[in-house]
Amino acid sequence: FYALNSLHIGTLSFDILLVTLSLMYVTSYHGDFLSVDSLLRIDPHFTTIFCVSMVNILMTALTCMMVCLFALERLMFAKRLAVVLSLAYGLATMAWAQSEDFMSEPATTLFLLCAVYFITDVSALKKNRNTILAGSFLGLALLVRLAALIAIPALVVYIIHTWMSSPRKPKDLVLSLARFGVPLFLFIGIIFVYTHIRFDNIFESGYDSDFRADILLGLYGLLFSPGKSFFLYNPPAIIGLLGIGC
């Protein structure tokens, strides 16, 4: 419904998005206050479990909306194609299965896509604000999943590339990087505080530091294994590969 509604309003009020995300977590952890248990007539013990199980469903729906907006406003696709891509993501990829648990993938995907959406806005009037929002959403992605660090170099390179592609002063590049970096480092600071409280070491992530893995075996598992094959559980990706040569 968000995706279809965006076809009429052209752009989304991200105030609504942020309020929606806040309400999702309020509902998840304060179900008794909202009388969810009495409404659903279930044991109060299961109220939080039920509400939390709904969070990733909403996250996935919001990600479908962002896919639609990205296709419309960044790739300039037709409305019908944008809706098809949005539905394909929600119904024909791992997103459907991942929406049924409380793992971090749906939230990470949503926040990363929002960061890319804002950083790729070509509007000069909104560039400063959108750069700040891009850094903020990337910071949120880091809070959810530390592996999102891998996206930082790509977005920084994009900022530098857009600066080099336009006749702007070096000062403009510094300001753009600052707008992107300040909110990002604020979130990294929150992560450091959390890890210090939890592990008494800001550089401890909770992952096994002695972890060693066979990269080729890992790639096979992620791309081709029957348990978690990227192509097996994301059929649109196969269509995308076929379209590369077209």
Side-chain angles (χ1 to χ4, degrees):
F1 291 110
Y2 272 107
L4 293 174
N5 190 42
S6 69
L7 302 182
H8 300 288
I9 64 176
T11 185
L12 174 72
S13 171
F14 280 87
D15 293 334
I16 298 176
L17 172 61
L18 295 177
V19 170
T20 302
L21 293 176
S22 300
L23 288 176
M24 287 192 310
Y25 287 103
V26 168
T27 304
S28 300
Y29 294 102
H30 298 280
D32 293 337
F33 175 75
L34 296 174
S35 300
V36 176
D37 53 330
S38 61
L39 178 64
L40 299 176
R41 297 182 180 181
I42 60 177
D43 190 320
H45 175 72
F46 296 104
T47 301
T48 301
I49 297 175
F50 174 81
C51 293
V52 167
S53 68
M54 300 295 291
V55 172
N56 275 347
I57 294 176
L58 295 175
M59 286 283 188
T60 303
L62 289 171
T63 304
C64 290
M65 173 200 70
M66 290 304 304
V67 170
C68 185
L69 286 176
F70 196 91
L72 282 172
E73 300 181 4
R74 298 294 181 267
L75 302 177
M76 302 303 173
F77 287 169
K79 294 180 179 180
R80 181 176 298 179
L81 178 57
V83 172
V84 169
L85 290 175
S86 178
L87 293 175
Y89 172 78
L91 301 176
T93 68
M94 285 182 178
W96 190 349
Q98 291 171 345
S99 69
E100 298 179 1
D101 56 36
F102 197 56
M103 301 297 285
S104 62
E105 284 84 353
T108 306
T109 302
L110 174 62
F111 294 141
L112 285 177
L113 186 55
C114 285
V116 175
Y117 175 82
F118 282 115
I119 204 68
T120 53
D121 190 356
V122 296
S123 173
L125 296 176
K126 301 178 181 178
K127 195 67 177 177
N128 294 343
R129 184 203 68 175
N130 287 345
T131 303
I132 295 173
L133 288 173
S136 300
F137 275 107
L138 183 55
L140 285 172
L142 291 177
L143 284 181
V144 175
R145 193 179 185 90
L146 197 58
L149 282 167
I150 196 173
I152 294 179
L155 296 184
V156 170
V157 168
Y158 181 84
I159 292 173
I160 296 174
H161 173 73
T162 55
W163 172 78
M164 294 178 63
S165 303
S166 60
R168 292 191 291 174
K169 300 178 181 178
K171 175 184 175 182
D172 296 324
L173 174 61
V174 174
L175 290 175
S176 293
L177 291 174
R179 294 186 187 100
F180 177 76
V182 168
L184 179 59
F185 280 107
L186 287 176
F187 282 101
I188 292 176
I190 294 174
I191 294 173
F192 282 160
V193 171
Y194 170 77
T195 54
H196 175 71
I197 294 173
R198 184 179 181 186
F199 303 109
D200 200 26
N201 182 356
I202 64 172
F203 297 109
E204 177 61 60
S205 64
Y207 293 100
D208 188 351
S209 59
D210 295 328
F211 177 76
R212 293 182 177 86
D214 186 331
I215 295 179
L216 294 179
L217 180 61
L219 286 175
Y220 165 76
L222 291 174
L223 297 178
F224 305 109
S225 72
K228 200 174 183 179
S229 169
F230 177 78
F231 296 107
L232 181 62
Y233 297 104
N234 299 280
I238 300 176
I239 301 175
L241 288 177
L242 296 175
I244 292 177
C246 297

